[in-house]
Amino acid sequence: MNRVDWGNRLKKVEQLAQSFQLSRPWQPSSIWKLFPRQCMAINFAQSCREDVHVFALEKEQAKMGGRIFLVTSYSELWHYYRYLSRLFMTSVW
């Protein structure tokens, strides 16, 4: 798989992730927000009423140490991780 194919697949996955609305009436609405700076992510997480955490993700085509920061809950992260890992596994084979 070349870089163009991988980039297109990544864009498709990001669009899918944005379209998800998890239906859990007993829990608050889902939070999935990306930030370019860690301090922005921490400030946002501290302002949330929900139990959210800050996760650091490495950018694929960035210089060494280039990261983005995701603010979400553990359950939300696990949901997307399970879904996306199955998506990548089935599309590669």
Side-chain angles (χ1 to χ4, degrees):
M1 179 177 298
N2 61 32
R3 285 184 181 253
V4 174
D5 291 340
W6 183 252
N8 290 336
R9 182 173 292 169
L10 183 60
K11 286 179 187 177
K12 184 177 179 181
V13 167
E14 287 173 346
Q15 289 171 346
L16 282 172
Q18 290 177 354
S19 69
F20 273 108
Q21 291 294 324
L22 298 180
S23 176
R24 294 174 291 185
W26 62 90
Q27 291 183 345
S29 62
S30 62
I31 294 177
W32 185 274
K33 195 159 173 87
L34 295 171
F35 295 91
R37 301 272 184 252
Q38 184 179 23
C39 63
M40 295 168 69
I42 291 171
N43 289 339
F44 177 78
Q46 289 175 343
S47 71
C48 291
R49 289 186 216 160
E50 294 87 357
D51 185 25
V52 295
H53 305 275
V54 177
F55 300 92
L57 309 168
E58 288 190 21
K59 290 182 179 179
E60 189 169 317
Q61 297 178 351
K63 296 177 185 176
M64 193 71 149
R67 292 183 174 85
I68 54 175
F69 299 91
L70 169 66
V71 175
T72 192
S73 65
Y74 285 128
S75 60
E76 200 75 17
L77 180 68
W78 181 243
H79 168 78
Y80 287 116
Y81 176 79
R82 285 186 309 155
Y83 176 77
L84 296 178
S85 64
R86 281 183 283 171
L87 178 70
F88 284 126
M89 291 176 109
T90 57
S91 61
V92 171
W93 301 106

